[in-house]
Amino acid sequence: MKHLIDPTDFTKEEIDEIIEYGEYIIANRELFRDKLRYHKLATLFYEPSTRTRLSFTSAMMELGGNVLGFSDARSSSVAKGESVGDTALTVGNFVDVIAMRHPLEGAPYVASKVSKVPIINAGDGSHAHPTQTLTDLLTIKRELGHIDNITIGFCGDLRFGRTVHSLIKALSRYKGIDIVLISPDEMRLPDYIKSDVCDKLGLRYKEVRSIEEVIGELDVLYMTRVQKERFLDEDEFERVKDSFVLDCEKLKGAKPDMAILHPLPRVNEIRQEVDADPRAAYFRQVENGKFVRMSLICKLLEWKDDPSHSMPAHPEYFHDPGRHCRNTKCICNHENVTPLFHETESGIVRCVYCDSKV
Ligand code: CP
């Protein structure tokens, strides 16, 4: 059975199939009205969301299916201490597929290990957000006509921005990608993404300190919000929160067909005046999120019993009582799950649940 926990759970061919099917759905919406009649999706959201939860809901409704779930875990038996695994096992008796958002990193992965139905990671802590990645890829394809051979600038919070981490992993499978990382020191991309994704897979990247010095090179500018909820130190958040703000003045040096993406919500990082610029693609990106989730749900159900679409082989996992994951937001430090580790090709030991270096 295929789950979507991390973008690399899908082959490039499977990702391309989902993107292309999403484009087919956009062109033939009337054909999909009853596609998943009598099917059910559960949205288990332990953390706030507008776009992801409602686009999943809208996607399933547009396919003729039904949706149940919770948007506040305090109203469920989670409040009585029920584990992520038991919740997924229980809800799997009621539905065909589960979309889960959780503040703890690795929670959807834990659910996928016991679930009888496909689990979709709808965002786990600062770790991954693979359905946003599918949304971003479909948006890039629709805005530029292609995904290969682009220069993409990631701007803002590259440290906690799970959408950035997931999109970089996915782009590593495409040809001719140049990445420009635009952030202050406090919010730089984690080393494990640079070493295990960019360096290992030969993704070209450079780090700069301002939008202005690179904007003329970019085909895509991917803006991000500084995520107050992920900072442990409020002073640090106050120092960096307004580091990068995109306005019409800064856009003067950009290519005429550059696409501006943002996973949203935004706070201050894109001035409202930019919304009227035809290059502002972030609300079109929101709509693409519904279509790509329609495509994803259809494909996961189609692939469920097809052994040619199983989960990828992973490196050997091991338990070592002498090691523990130091990430306080990792599921293994909150629930009764066996801490597991794996060693990367470069000899670094990482937590299986959250990818932190151990
Ligand atoms: N892009 C995104 O994940 O938005 P929400 O947090 O509103 O779901």
Side-chain angles (χ1 to χ4, degrees), residues 76-249:
S76 75
S77 285
V78 172
K80 301 174 206 160
E82 187 160 45
S83 68
V84 163
D86 283 358
T87 303
L89 260 175
T90 301
V91 176
N93 290 300
F94 311 140
V95 300
D96 303 284
V97 58
I98 295 174
M100 177 185 285
R101 169 169 290 192
H102 205 291
L104 295 176
E105 298 173 19
Y109 172 74
V110 168
S112 75
K113 297 319 281 179
V114 296
S115 179
K116 292 183 285 192
V117 300
I119 299 284
I120 302 170
N121 178 3
D124 62 329
S126 305
H127 185 224
H129 194 349
T131 64
Q132 181 66 45
T133 300
L134 295 173
T135 302
D136 300 339
L137 292 174
L138 176 60
T139 305
I140 293 170
K141 178 99 185 284
R142 294 190 78 198
E143 294 293 318
L144 303 182
H146 57 93
I147 301 173
D148 290 317
N149 302 312
I150 59 167
T151 299
I152 176 166
F154 289 97
C155 181
D157 180 358
L158 313 188
R159 175 177 162 201
F160 294 121
R162 59 191 173 193
T163 62
V164 173
H165 306 167
S166 289
L167 183 53
I168 290 177
K169 280 188 185 174
L171 286 172
S172 69
R173 268 101 171 265
Y174 289 83
K175 286 190 300 234
I177 305 292
D178 280 287
I179 289 185
V180 184
L181 304 168
I182 311 159
S183 71
D185 281 343
E186 294 89 339
M187 294 191 293
R188 288 170 66 177
L189 192 71
D191 286 341
Y192 86 89
I193 308 261
K194 287 186 208 157
S195 60
D196 293 5
V197 182
C198 301
D199 295 338
K200 187 174 153 198
L201 302 173
L203 204 56
R204 292 184 297 263
Y205 71 93
K206 66 177 176 184
E207 296 186 284
V208 300
R209 292 280 172 275
S210 74
I211 299 177
E212 292 90 324
E213 63 189 282
V214 289
I215 195 152
E217 301 169 22
L218 306 179
D219 301 300
V220 177
L221 174 58
Y222 194 99
M223 297 295 295
T224 61
R225 173 177 68 95
V226 178
Q227 299 187 56
K228 185 175 185 186
E229 66 275 26
R230 312 266 179 236
F231 278 77
L232 297 176
D233 177 349
E234 186 133 346
D235 291 343
E236 190 180 15
F237 169 74
E238 288 300 322
R239 254 195 329 275
V240 299
K241 69 178 191 230
D242 292 323
S243 293
F244 297 101
V245 178
L246 185 66
D247 56 22
C248 289
E249 184 59 32

Side-chain angles (χ1 to χ4, degrees), residues 48-53 101 129 132 263-265:
S49 165
T50 298
R51 274 147 295 275
T52 311
R53 188 173 68 80
R101 169 169 290 192
H129 194 349
Q132 181 66 45
L264 303 178

